[in-house]
Amino acid sequence: MKDILLFIHHNNRALIGTVVGIVLGYLHWYYFACYWGTYPLSAECWINCAYGGVIGGFVMCLFKETKHIR
């Protein structure tokens, strides 16, 4: 359990970005789904959620962590 909490502590930015990306991917599928054609993001819910999670994690990793000096 201690290892899992340590992993979450060290990777909290990427995990938050992944969760937000999954939610946004689901919302994209729910509201803008296109069930015909070859548009890959709208065919299946899990594809949108997977793409959203990966992109959300990558985007959150781009931002630098700020150190607060007391």
Side-chain angles (χ1 to χ4, degrees):
M1 185 67 178
K2 185 178 179 184
D3 293 335
I4 293 172
L5 293 175
L6 187 63
F7 176 79
I8 291 172
H9 177 70
H10 285 297
N11 299 308
N12 61 355
R13 300 178 74 115
L15 293 173
I16 290 171
T18 302
V19 170
V20 170
I22 289 171
V23 169
L24 290 176
Y26 177 78
L27 290 175
H28 179 270
W29 172 79
Y30 186 78
Y31 288 111
F32 304 110
C34 178
Y35 296 107
W36 58 89
T38 59
Y39 184 58
L41 282 181
S42 294
E44 299 283 337
C45 175
W46 66 272
I47 293 174
N48 283 340
C49 292
Y51 280 144
V54 169
I55 291 172
F58 285 158
V59 167
M60 285 302 288
C61 287
L62 291 175
F63 297 114
K64 288 190 172 191
E65 184 176 340
T66 58
K67 301 285 183 182
H68 297 289
I69 300 173
R70 293 183 184 193

